[in-house]
Amino acid sequence: MTTQLSSGAVGRGLGDRVILAATIALAIVMVLPMLWAVGLSLKTNAELLVDTNSVLKAPWTLRNYYDILIGSGVFRWLLNSIIVSVGMSLGVLALSSLAGYGFARLEFPGRNVIFVLVLFGLAIPEQAVILVRHQLFSDLNLHNTYAGLMLPGMSAPFGVFLMTQYFKAIPTEVDEAAMLDNASRFKIFWRVLLPMTLPAQATLGIFTFLHAWNDYWWPLVSGTNEQMYTLTVGIASTQMNFAESAGLGYLMAQAVFAGLPILIVYMFFQKYIVRAVSGAAA
Amino acid sequence: MRHLLATLLSCVALASCGVRQAPNEIVVQRFFGTCKAEYGNRTDVENAEGECGIMTTLINRFSAENPDVKVRVSPVAWPGYNQLAAQLASGDPPDLVTMHLSAISDYQSRKLLEPLDKDLRAVGVDPNGFTAASLVSVSKQGQIYGLPIDNWAPLWHINMNYFRQAGLVKDGKPILPRSPEELLAHARQFKQATGKPYFVQALANERAAYTRNLYTLLMQQSVDFFADPQQVKLQSPETKQVVAMFRQLYVEDLTTKNQDYAAATNGFINGAGGVYLVGTWMIGDFDAESRKAGRPLTNGYAVMPWPQLYARDATFIDGHAWVMPVRDRTPRQRDAVFRLLKFLADHDFEWSRTGHLPAYKAVIESERFNALPHRSEIAKIATTGMPLPSAVQRQFPVQDIIGEEMAAAITGHKTVDAALADAEHRVNDLLFHLL
């Protein structure tokens, strides 16, 4: 018995080490291009035009970051991205929670059909509807407004599905107990059930925020006024032609700069993001 | 509940925020990047460098000289046509837009651009003053649909130090081939003498370069491959011969391989080969490199148009123009647009310092233009340059398709015949399905 245990422990130790080594190797593969991008961002465009390996040698400079901060409307675009991402996340949370509660708890005619229709939304790619959506928003005069940038992302079939499943997992006895205490339907939803769905809300909120922050296609065609650019679109607009050779340092600084807010979000919400990803996988 | 309601109302108010255009304001949408850190408020155009610097200072100076006009510059990610299409669809296009000459047909054919002849003449810009290459590029159905900014063409950027080593220099000038056979012979001679490939080419992500070279060599043979603007003909013996020549260069390692644009540019600067096939815009960078000590291009850089390999001296050209999308404008906005166009036309020399060819005969013939480094060698493109026929639409995707198929033939993934048949089929399919 003892022998079996120790050989198992040794086997597990070896296995762990192999997994750890593989993880480190993969992490290096993942991190190196990012470090290379950071390195490139600290060199002048002129140096990189001649030799990209100069990244390994001094001098380094913060000039590219200075150019981004001083030379563009980056703070306006940052603000726009924050408004759009936060607004969209709040909207998705509100709508998905209400819809999820409805599908999970309320009996109404056509409930299953409507739920299936909502789920169809998961299968329709954005590109398939973008023309019609663009025309619709145009008719409603919503382009170049925050509403125009936020509203399309608020129809979130995944969010409705997630919240429906989450509400379904909460025993109905909880509702019944609250009803016995004379609570209204809204009060049960707002005060009792919603707080119980916080883990799902965190998952959904984080995913929505990341999606909204990184979105490029819709903001590109809806927020066409420079004052309404989001960070992704604004930063792309500052690139000169053939930036990949003549403006490589600046290009990389843009990439680093655009990624920083997400990195900060990740640092603060790391626990929730890991839980969200593993929860989604489960 | 009140807090919730107040928050919701605030959100709605914020969400409906947008931007409106003032009656004296014009929106100028352009590519060429932004460089406000260096040129944000500067108006000294003469001292500005590069596309972004010169364009920014030009518009700054116009604004300074025309305080009654508000110019809102809206830079877009290159080339900006997705945004423009969206703006046109929503009825809110800008007042002026930078557009490639080869893209004008796409918009003009759908009546999305205003003809400019009358108003340009009214402010003193005579289209007869445009170079032949520019005039034909902005003329559609007998009217002018853009103010040309420049022309550019694929050029031969030459490492003269290697050419000297290979015995391909005479009287200080590069010896250039005069036939496809001579080109191959020169390339072999070059490789033998220097150990380097004759050509440096950016082919991994810049396949349109193949197409531009093909267009050039077909134009030199007077092959009318777009006789019908909706049907390309690419299976001619002349086309096959050109593609076969590039295939031969590839097979014999007479060209660099598998390089993207950045790698090829970097490679040429660091002495990877003899001739870099790229456009006008790199002249300034390579010239600066040739003035540094101890570099492969030191005192050894020349630039030439595509050499004449066939009966006709011709080079495919494209370029940039300002176009004016159709929309309602106040008289003040309209007046401001044409004042700005006149200003930009008057300052075309400044733009030509970017390396692009001027769009005006007076500039290209001027002493100060010809005094710029290497400009006199390429000035003839203003007369030998040829765009595709103006009625050909979707020229960008057409370039990509032909370039893809040429790449397949040159690298040996398809036979030349199969690749050209596929290219022809794909292009014609695209053009057949135009709205």
Side-chain angles (χ1 to χ4, degrees):
Chain A
M1 186 71 178
T2 314
T3 316
Q4 272 180 342
L5 266 178
S6 56
S7 69
V10 169
R12 198 163 56 238
L14 185 66
D16 286 351
R17 270 183 238 141
V18 170
I19 289 169
L20 183 64
T23 307
I24 290 171
L26 283 173
I28 290 171
V29 170
M30 294 284 287
V31 167
L32 263 183
M34 291 185 228
L35 290 179
W36 190 251
V38 173
L40 290 171
S41 73
L42 299 172
K43 301 295 289 183
T44 63
N45 295 324
E47 264 187 285
L48 294 175
L49 180 68
V50 175
D51 181 15
T52 47
N53 289 328
S54 65
V55 69
L56 302 169
K57 300 178 293 231
W60 292 281
T61 176
L62 291 172
R63 173 78 204 192
N64 294 318
Y65 291 97
Y66 172 81
D67 286 349
I68 290 174
L69 295 175
I70 304 299
S72 64
V74 72
F75 292 108
R76 170 79 195 214
W77 305 332
L78 195 63
L79 178 69
N80 289 345
S81 276
I82 291 170
I83 291 171
V84 170
S85 301
V86 171
M88 195 189 292
S89 303
L90 291 176
V92 165
L93 290 178
L95 293 175
S96 299
S97 300
L98 286 165
Y101 176 79
F103 284 124
R105 286 292 197 263
L106 304 181
E107 291 288 340
F108 55 91
R111 183 181 68 169
N112 291 340
V113 175
I114 295 172
F115 188 61
V116 169
L117 281 176
V118 170
L119 292 189
F120 267 133
L122 285 170
I124 299 172
E126 187 185 11
Q127 290 79 358
V129 296
I130 202 158
L131 286 176
V132 182
R133 185 202 288 164
H134 189 276
Q135 198 56 52
L136 177 70
F137 276 59
S138 182
D139 293 344
L140 296 171
N141 276 328
L142 282 174
H143 289 306
N144 287 309
T145 65
Y146 289 119
L149 292 170
M150 285 187 278
L151 282 174
M154 287 188 193
S155 63
F158 172 72
V160 174
F161 174 72
L162 183 76
M163 295 311 297
T164 303
Q165 298 308 105
Y166 216 89
F167 277 115
K168 274 185 180 168
I170 300 172
T172 50
E173 286 80 1
V174 176
D175 305 40
E176 288 160 8
M179 276 178 184
L180 285 175
D181 286 341
N182 223 12
S184 66
R185 270 250 181 245
F186 186 75
K187 205 165 213 171
I188 295 170
F189 165 75
W190 185 250
R191 299 262 185 210
V192 180
L193 296 186
L194 205 57
M196 297 173 81
T197 64
L198 275 182
Q201 304 265 2
T203 304
L204 185 58
I206 288 165
F207 278 139
T208 308
F209 185 89
L210 293 178
H211 165 76
W213 189 272
N214 289 322
D215 195 15
Y216 181 75
W217 185 227
W218 179 251
L220 180 77
V221 296
S222 182
T224 51
N225 188 308
E226 193 198 6
Q227 298 295 306
M228 294 305 295
Y229 284 176
T230 55
L231 194 61
T232 47
V233 177
I235 277 184
S237 76
T238 65
Q239 286 171 19
M240 64 182 83
N241 301 353
F242 298 108
E244 72 272 31
S245 67
L248 189 57
Y250 185 63
L251 188 70
M252 290 299 115
Q254 288 176 320
V256 173
F257 186 83
L260 274 181
I262 288 292
L263 194 67
I264 292 166
V265 168
Y266 187 82
M267 281 163 64
F268 279 106
F269 296 98
Q270 187 179 7
K271 192 172 71 179
Y272 295 101
I273 291 172
V274 171
R275 202 182 290 165
V277 173
S278 55
Chain B
M1 200 64 182
R2 264 187 208 164
H3 289 298
L4 188 64
L5 205 60
T7 311
L8 279 173
L9 284 173
S10 311
C11 287
V12 170
L14 180 65
S16 58
C17 285
V19 184
R20 295 280 173 266
Q21 197 172 341
N24 67 334
E25 183 181 54
I26 57 171
V27 179
V28 174
Q29 187 160 297
R30 63 161 182 82
F31 38 75
F32 303 126
T34 58
C35 43
K36 286 185 194 162
E38 195 172 354
Y39 294 103
N41 298 312
R42 281 174 54 180
T43 55
D44 54 335
V45 185
E46 307 75 26
N47 299 319
E49 295 290 339
E51 290 177 339
C52 184
I54 293 174
M55 186 56 76
T56 303
T57 50
L58 273 173
I59 294 177
N60 286 349
R61 181 182 286 187
F62 173 81
S63 297
E65 292 175 3
N66 297 269
D68 57 320
V69 175
K70 190 176 173 201
V71 181
R72 175 147 51 91
V73 178
S74 187
V76 285
W78 190 94
Y81 298 136
N82 285 330
Q83 269 169 304
L84 180 62
Q87 290 165 319
L88 288 163
S90 58
D92 186 26
D95 294 292
L96 281 176
V97 189
T98 46
M99 184 171 280
H100 290 90
L101 297 171
S102 56
I104 293 178
S105 289
D106 291 345
Y107 296 87
Q108 181 272 336
S109 61
R110 286 179 280 160
K111 303 190 188 325
L112 297 170
L113 302 179
E114 283 201 27
L116 307 177
D117 318 42
K118 205 176 110 201
D119 295 280
L120 280 180
R121 285 200 171 88
V123 293
V125 178
D126 181 3
N128 292 322
F130 300 163
T131 61
S134 291
L135 182 61
V136 71
S137 299
V138 294
S139 302
K140 314 283 167 194
Q141 297 165 337
Q143 287 188 292
I144 304 291
Y145 281 92
L147 180 83
I149 301 172
D150 60 44
N151 283 122
W152 51 259
L155 299 176
W156 281 38
H157 298 267
I158 299 166
N159 184 324
M160 289 292 283
N161 297 327
Y162 287 158
F163 259 51
R164 223 167 267 124
Q165 203 180 324
L168 290 172
V169 175
K170 192 178 174 190
D171 302 330
K173 301 268 182 199
I175 299 173
L176 299 180
R178 285 161 298 176
S179 68
E181 295 75 25
E182 204 169 64
L183 192 155
L184 282 167
H186 281 193
R188 288 172 189 138
Q189 180 183 333
F190 182 92
K191 174 105 196 228
Q192 203 168 21
T194 65
K196 306 269 183 185
Y198 186 67
F199 280 129
V200 175
Q201 293 188 87
L203 304 173
N205 65 348
E206 187 67 5
R207 285 177 180 161
Y210 271 139
T211 314
R212 292 175 198 141
N213 296 333
L214 175 70
Y215 287 168
T216 293
L217 294 180
L218 292 181
M219 287 165 173
Q220 290 192 359
Q221 298 177 78
S222 300
V223 177
D224 199 0
F225 52 99
F226 260 121
D228 174 352
Q230 284 199 300
Q231 258 198 339
V232 71
K233 289 203 185 304
L234 291 173
Q235 299 194 69
S236 62
E238 293 90 343
T239 316
K240 288 176 187 174
Q241 191 198 28
V242 171
V243 179
M245 181 189 77
F246 279 106
R247 165 86 182 134
Q248 195 60 32
L249 287 162
Y250 186 88
V251 169
E252 293 186 36
D253 291 331
L254 301 174
T255 176
T256 55
K257 296 176 177 175
N258 304 321
Q259 289 186 323
D260 64 8
Y261 179 82
T265 304
N266 210 276
F268 179 69
I269 286 174
N270 288 297
V275 178
Y276 185 21
L277 297 172
V278 75
T280 43
W281 54 87
M282 289 308 298
I283 292 176
D285 287 311
F286 295 153
D287 184 61
E289 190 64 18
S290 74
R291 292 168 200 275
K292 291 182 192 165
R295 301 286 304 150
L297 285 176
T298 303
N299 298 322
Y301 169 63
V303 58
M304 295 289 181
W306 250 97
Q308 185 183 342
L309 301 188
Y310 298 96
R312 183 179 186 185
D313 193 4
T315 303
F316 168 71
I317 50 138
D318 199 342
H320 306 110
W322 291 105
V323 297
M324 186 175 177
V326 173
R327 61 168 289 178
D328 289 335
R329 291 180 180 85
T330 65
R332 286 174 71 188
Q333 285 168 336
R334 200 169 179 82
D335 172 62
V337 165
F338 283 95
R339 272 157 65 189
L340 177 56
L341 288 177
K342 161 79 172 147
F343 177 88
L344 293 166
D346 288 346
H347 290 80
D348 191 56
F349 165 74
E350 299 299 346
W351 184 252
S352 72
R353 292 193 294 108
T354 57
H356 296 304
L357 279 166
Y360 301 85
K361 284 188 266 191
V363 177
I364 216 155
E365 289 161 4
S366 69
E367 272 179 38
R368 58 179 183 165
F369 172 73
N370 284 286
L372 292 171
H374 307 291
R375 299 313 198 278
S376 56
E377 286 96 329
I378 61 166
K380 72 168 184 172
I381 294 174
T383 47
T384 61
M386 293 175 68
L388 288 191
S390 66
V392 177
Q393 294 184 49
R394 304 295 189 273
Q395 292 189 29
F396 270 31
V398 167
Q399 272 187 17
D400 285 342
I401 290 171
I402 296 175
E404 267 176 41
E405 295 296 343
M406 279 185 74
I410 290 163
T411 54
H413 289 94
K414 286 184 184 179
T415 63
V416 171
D417 286 351
L420 289 176
D422 288 349
E424 190 175 286
H425 172 74
R426 288 175 63 193
V427 170
N428 291 339
D429 189 54
L430 170 80
L431 296 176
F432 178 76
H433 288 102
L434 286 180
L435 292 174

